[in-house]
Amino acid sequence: MSIEVYQERLFTLQTAHTSYVFCINEQGIAENLYWGKKIQRTEDFADVSTQHVFVNVNGPQSIQEECSSYGSMRYKETSLRLQFFDGVDDFRYRGCEYKIDGNVLEIVLKDIFYSFSVHLFYQVFEEEDIIKKWRVAENTGKEPVILDRIYSGEFGLFGSGYRAINYNGRWGAEFLREEDSITYGKKVYESLYGLSGHTVNPAFIVHRDGTETTGEVYYGVLEYSGDFKTVIEAVNCGYLNILIGINDTDFQWKLAGGESFTTPAVYGGYSDQGFQEMTHCLTRLSRNYLMPKKKANQVLPVLYNSWYATLFDVKCDEQIALARKAADTGVELFVIDDGWFTGRKNDKAGLGDWFVDREKFPQGLEPLIRVVNELGMKFGVWIEPEMVNPDSDLYREHPEWIYCYKNREVLMGRNQYMLDMTNGEVIDYLTQIFHKLLSENKIDYIKWDMNRYAAERGSASLPKEEWQTIAWRNTQGVYTLIERLRSRHPEVEFEACASGGARVDYGAMRYFDEYWPSDNTDPLDRLMIQESYSYLYPVKYMRAWLTDDFGMNRRKIPLAFSMHSAMCGSLGIGVNLNQISEEDKEQIADYVQQYKEVRATIQMGELYRLQSLQDGDLQALCYNDEDRSVLFVFLDHQRYGATCHEVKLRGLCEDALYRYKIEETEAVKSGAYLMQQGILLKLQGDYDSRMIILEKQK
Ligand code: DGJ
């Protein structure tokens, strides 16, 4: 049984290897008692309390709560804040009702005076060792209730010595992993950008002595792409409190009588085997439950994308020439990025006018698509649905369709305004225009971009009293649009991009088949970005392209290293194939062929981060499945004449034999040997790399 109840007051959520336990304590408060390695016997917790420290504030401040609410002598950050009609702002409940439906537990906390309840939902994913939490606030009375804050979940961890990990990114440098000790006070990770953003991710990772394979790791990912907030507080009563959910800075929701509000969900997990296990559990959860079903178990095609090759200067003949060369290299999906639609000569015009530019494509997209299809490739385009340039017909016709304040200049980002995605008319228009595009052209793939941050939170379609709901509604509007397009065009593959990786989150995963992690395609930078990205996100969702050097770090990296770096994810090519030598093209084709042979293992297997350039000379990682292990090893710079490098694999079957080749020498070794003794590799100079395929012998 995944959910157990003892004496009507003790609740245990059991996964294959973990337990999550809470109770309704003597004061009637939902108190979190335990989260960690599995403890089978629920009644062991019957006399447990988390009040370990004697303090001068009694009650909820000093215990790990399931749903702390502002007030009632709580001084910590709380997960709920509201106002009843008469100004009372603390929610008080005593005890709970509960329901169990399969693997879902619902706890109903009712206010002791007002007609208002908070429903705490818990869903157990046994095999994935993950618990999903979400909340519903319900106004069962007649008077309105104002919700100022409602997080998705609260997690209490007993004791101290915790370290928290998140990213500290920016455009071109997303997913830079950082770590802090949380010894006192609060650490806040948040986005106010209007989307999850480049900086921090809507997630938490908290650990004690965590390494890839050892240590206790607690983690959670939020199923939301909008402004979020994660607060990790070392409460002065001897525990760490973690809150995650919608950012309360730009949120307020008025619940009229009979109305309810549902938060996004957070998926939380515990591993006593370090970060690797966390990654594996999240990947399983994603594939089994979150990724769009149609493509969840399919490998992604090798794509070509024109952005770095032609930027906005898209011409039909040149794209056809690129497509022919892309096909020669083994590409399976040809994508024109930005620049194909009316007026789009640069980033100052055109967004909103989603019609094929007849100057660039006098006969529409059809001649290009025909060639692409004849060459055996699929075809895709780039769009940026949520945006409009002031220099566009759409804006000239509907200036009221953007977020703005009446008496202020509307601020621009990348020369564009944000369409008001809270306005049903806007969503209907966009649905119809993209439905038309997808119906009239044989388009198999969409790269959905979003290239600016939010500014004004004002909408002509909402009364100003509701503007505090815009941040939330905007995200729901985006979800609605993509849901509609996906349901009308279920075969189309959708990739999420937002100036690189600003919309990589577990909310977008339900709607997109893959993500673009960063515009930074420098193969060395990418190794670091990809390593940290892979902590939380599946390899398949990590598009990685080979491009020309576009000047980010002004360094020259050999093709082998660059290809290997891109082959660590879902491979794409973005070099200007019209300008490269035949020899380079053939080499790229060879790598693409090698990739295709093992991509199922890379995209769908289990990732093991063996060595990191953050800790030493090498980055080494392997991807394992039933048939093989694919090992990548990267040396950025040789140091002190060292040439031989030892790499120990992980995750192999001890007793199985693996056949592999290093240079021209073939070897057969047991899994135990490869994991204990390892492989000795010779890597030299700057930017040396290897891909070694270890085939499991049947
Ligand atoms: C930003 C994206 O991250 C790039 O890959 C590219 O699609 C450009 N936008 C196009 O404007």
Side-chain angles (χ1 to χ4, degrees):
M1 273 281 280
S2 59
I3 300 171
E4 288 157 23
V5 184
Y6 182 73
Q7 292 182 346
E8 299 297 297
R9 54 168 287 273
L10 198 58
F11 301 88
T12 309
L13 312 176
Q14 300 286 23
T15 71
H17 305 101
T18 73
S19 302
Y20 185 99
V21 187
F22 65 94
C23 70
I24 299 297
N25 70 13
E26 280 169 7
Q27 291 78 43
I29 289 177
E31 181 175 349
N32 169 258
L33 300 178
Y34 178 78
W35 189 19
K37 196 168 175 166
K38 190 160 187 163
I39 298 174
Q40 197 72 58
R41 199 164 173 266
T42 301
E43 58 259 50
D44 285 348
F45 292 94
D47 56 356
V48 171
S49 151
T50 54
Q51 188 152 11
H52 300 283
V53 176
F54 179 76
V55 278
N56 57 345
V57 270
N58 287 324
Q61 171 75 6
S62 58
I63 57 164
Q64 298 170 198
E65 289 181 86
E66 283 300 303
C67 181
S68 62
S69 161
Y70 177 81
S72 295
M73 299 187 86
R74 289 178 183 93
Y75 307 99
K76 58 188 173 185
E77 183 90 6
T78 50
S79 66
L80 187 73
R81 187 168 185 181
L82 47 74
Q83 301 167 47
F84 293 111
F85 64 95
D86 55 1
V88 169
D89 64 0
D90 73 345
F91 165 63
R92 283 191 201 176
Y93 68 91
R94 293 291 173 262
C96 78
E97 289 170 10
Y98 74 91
K99 272 186 237 160
I100 298 176
D101 183 4
N103 63 349
V104 178
L105 168 67
E106 178 184 352
I107 299 284
V108 187
L109 309 175
K110 288 188 174 164
D111 191 274
I112 50 176
F113 179 81
Y114 300 95
S115 300
F116 176 82
S117 316
V118 178
H119 303 241
L120 309 179
F121 287 89
Y122 302 81
Q123 183 173 359
V124 182
F125 294 90
E126 254 182 290
E127 291 313 310
E128 293 74 17
D129 283 326
I130 282 179
I131 289 161
K132 174 179 178 181
K133 287 188 181 187
W134 71 99
R135 293 175 176 179
V136 176
E138 188 188 12
N139 181 0
T140 46
K142 288 197 175 68
E143 303 291 346
V145 177
I146 292 171
L147 278 178
D148 288 315
R149 176 195 303 155
I150 177 160
Y151 284 111
S152 299
E154 180 159 5
F155 300 85
L157 301 180
F158 172 62
S160 56
Y162 293 99
R163 294 175 69 77
I165 297 179
N166 209 303
Y167 305 118
N168 178 23
R170 56 178 189 275
W171 175 84
E174 296 90 335
F175 304 101
L176 303 187
R177 197 166 79 240
E178 296 279 359
E179 173 156 352
D180 276 315
S181 277
I182 314 286
T183 50
Y184 69 99
K186 296 173 198 169
K187 180 93 189 167
V188 177
Y189 306 99
E190 65 177 334
S191 167
L192 289 168
Y193 293 111
L195 75 179
S196 42
H198 293 95
T199 313
V200 287
N201 206 256
F204 65 84
I205 303 175
V206 170
H207 71 98
R208 284 205 282 208
D209 303 322
T211 70
E212 273 301 313
T213 53
T214 61
E216 293 198 294
V217 180
Y218 301 85
Y219 57 93
V221 291
L222 185 68
E223 200 173 30
Y224 185 50
S225 307
D227 291 350
F228 69 89
K229 190 162 169 185
T230 305
V231 181
I232 303 182
E233 180 174 7
V235 181
N236 63 347
C237 301
Y239 64 92
L240 199 73
N241 210 36
I242 305 171
L243 308 169
I244 185 165
I246 301 167
N247 199 321
D248 56 347
T249 307
D250 50 15
F251 174 84
Q252 191 182 63
W253 198 275
K254 187 172 170 186
L255 284 176
E259 284 182 354
S260 61
F261 180 86
T262 304
T263 69
V266 52
Y267 297 87
Y270 163 83
S271 153
D272 65 340
Q273 291 166 51
F275 306 119
Q276 175 181 292
E277 185 60 18
M278 164 184 84
T279 298
H280 292 172
C281 290
L282 283 171
T283 302
R284 282 203 295 276
L285 177 86
S286 306
R287 184 160 312 127
N288 295 343
Y289 297 98
L290 308 181
M291 296 176 180
K293 281 276 166 292
K294 200 116 206 155
K295 303 204 189 296
N297 292 309
Q298 289 171 20
V299 291
L300 293 179
V302 176
L303 67 72
Y304 180 82
N305 180 293
S306 67
W307 176 242
Y308 289 96
T310 55
L311 296 176
F312 299 100
D313 190 15
V314 173
K315 297 184 195 89
C316 187
D317 291 351
E318 200 179 10
Q319 295 296 318
I320 289 179
L322 276 176
R324 292 195 192 286
K325 292 184 177 140
D328 291 345
T329 63
V331 160
E332 298 157 310
L333 163 65
F334 182 84
V335 182
I336 323 187
D337 207 275
D338 203 343
W340 59 269
F341 48 96
T342 314
R344 190 68 169 168
K345 291 194 175 54
N346 50 41
D347 66 9
K348 294 195 172 57
L351 290 179
D353 297 341
W354 300 107
F355 310 101
V356 181
D357 187 331
R358 292 288 165 161
E359 276 179 33
K360 295 176 178 175
F361 295 91
Q363 294 156 317
L365 292 173
E366 199 278 330
L368 172 61
I369 298 180
R370 187 168 8 98
V371 175
V372 166
N373 290 165
E374 279 165 11
L375 290 165
M377 295 184 293
K378 293 182 165 183
F379 178 77
V381 291
W382 174 98
I383 59 175
E384 195 176 354
E386 303 148 63
M387 297 293 150
V388 67
N389 284 117
D391 185 2
S392 67
D393 289 342
L394 181 66
Y395 182 70
R396 282 183 280 273
E397 244 169 74
H398 287 290
E400 77 287 6
W401 276 6
I402 61 165
Y403 292 121
C404 62
Y405 299 130
K406 219 169 162 193
N407 300 317
R408 294 228 186 270
E409 179 198 354
V410 187
L411 301 177
M412 281 203 280
R414 209 195 188 203
N415 306 304
Q416 60 205 47
Y417 296 142
M418 284 180 73
L419 285 174
D420 178 354
M421 300 296 282
T422 70
N423 182 344
E425 261 184 69
V426 174
I427 311 246
D428 289 346
Y429 172 79
L430 293 172
T431 307
Q432 169 250 315
I433 213 76
F434 289 113
H435 172 57
K436 190 164 180 292
L437 177 75
L438 290 169
S439 310
E440 290 177 357
N441 299 281
K442 204 170 163 304
I443 292 172
D444 307 293
Y445 159 102
I446 288 286
K447 179 176 170 190
W448 180 306
D449 206 345
M450 198 300 199
N451 282 300
R452 65 157 287 181
Y453 298 141
E456 296 76 15
R457 303 292 197 184
S459 157
S461 67
L462 284 174
K464 72 175 180 352
E465 294 71 30
E466 289 184 36
W467 285 2
Q468 283 287 91
T469 66
I470 287 179
W472 162 261
R473 287 186 201 267
N474 179 73
T475 305
Q476 304 310 312
V478 176
Y479 291 159
T480 304
L481 178 60
I482 181 150
E483 204 161 49
R484 286 189 190 170
L485 294 174
R486 282 204 82 118
S487 68
R488 292 185 195 184
H489 301 275
E491 298 306 328
V492 176
E493 178 180 326
F494 282 81
E495 175 165 353
C497 167
S499 286
R503 194 180 268 156
V504 172
D505 55 65
Y506 273 82
M509 192 178 279
R510 282 201 184 277
Y511 307 98
F512 293 94
D513 302 294
E514 58 209 87
Y515 295 149
W516 179 233
S518 177
D519 280 345
N520 184 345
T521 52
D522 174 287
L524 180 62
D525 284 0
R526 259 305 179 113
L527 287 184
M528 328 283 185
I529 290 173
Q530 292 175 180
E531 177 184 271
S532 298
Y533 179 100
S534 77
Y535 266 54
L536 295 175
Y537 295 96
V539 173
K540 184 180 163 189
Y541 270 57
M542 190 167 83
R543 271 288 181 193
W545 310 342
L546 172 82
T547 67
D548 299 309
D549 166 28
F550 64 103
M552 187 151 233
N553 296 317
R554 299 188 184 278
R555 61 179 154 227
K556 291 273 166 278
I557 296 191
L559 182 65
F561 190 100
S562 308
M563 277 305 301
H564 286 154
S565 168
M567 287 159 79
C568 287
S570 289
L571 178 65
I573 308 289
V575 289
N576 191 342
L577 295 169
N578 286 336
Q579 284 176 9
I580 63 165
S581 66
E582 253 331 279
E583 195 192 332
D584 278 356
K585 203 178 79 184
E586 278 164 22
Q587 280 191 41
I588 293 174
D590 272 357
Y591 284 112
V592 170
Q593 185 50 37
Q594 287 173 34
Y595 177 76
K596 284 182 183 169
E597 281 162 23
V598 293
R599 76 171 136 187
T601 310
I602 295 173
Q603 292 183 18
M604 317 291 281
E606 277 194 332
L607 170 67
Y608 292 82
R609 292 172 293 260
L610 306 173
Q611 293 182 39
S612 171
L613 279 167
Q614 286 202 7
D615 310 320
D617 294 353
L618 291 187
Q619 187 176 117
L621 51 161
C622 70
Y623 304 79
N624 301 350
D625 64 15
E626 279 305 300
D627 300 322
R628 65 177 69 85
S629 174
V630 182
L631 169 68
F632 288 95
V633 185
F634 300 89
L635 172 79
D636 58 346
H637 306 299
Q638 189 176 8
R639 293 157 176 93
Y640 313 112
T643 49
C644 280
H645 302 273
E646 180 193 77
V647 177
K648 293 182 179 178
L649 282 92
R650 287 206 294 270
L652 304 182
C653 298
E654 293 215 330
D655 299 333
L657 294 178
Y658 294 83
R659 183 182 295 278
Y660 59 97
K661 235 190 199 171
I662 298 184
E663 313 304 340
E664 287 315 304
T665 311
E666 211 177 67
V668 177
K669 302 277 184 194
S670 66
Y673 174 93
L674 293 163
M675 293 191 290
Q676 309 313 326
Q677 172 79 355
I679 292 181
L680 216 54
L681 281 174
K682 205 168 174 188
L683 286 117
Q684 280 179 301
D686 289 340
Y687 308 118
D688 201 1
S689 61
R690 296 286 181 281
M691 176 176 89
I692 295 166
I693 301 167
L694 300 100
E695 295 289 355
K696 192 168 161 193
Q697 304 300 288
K698 304 273 176 216

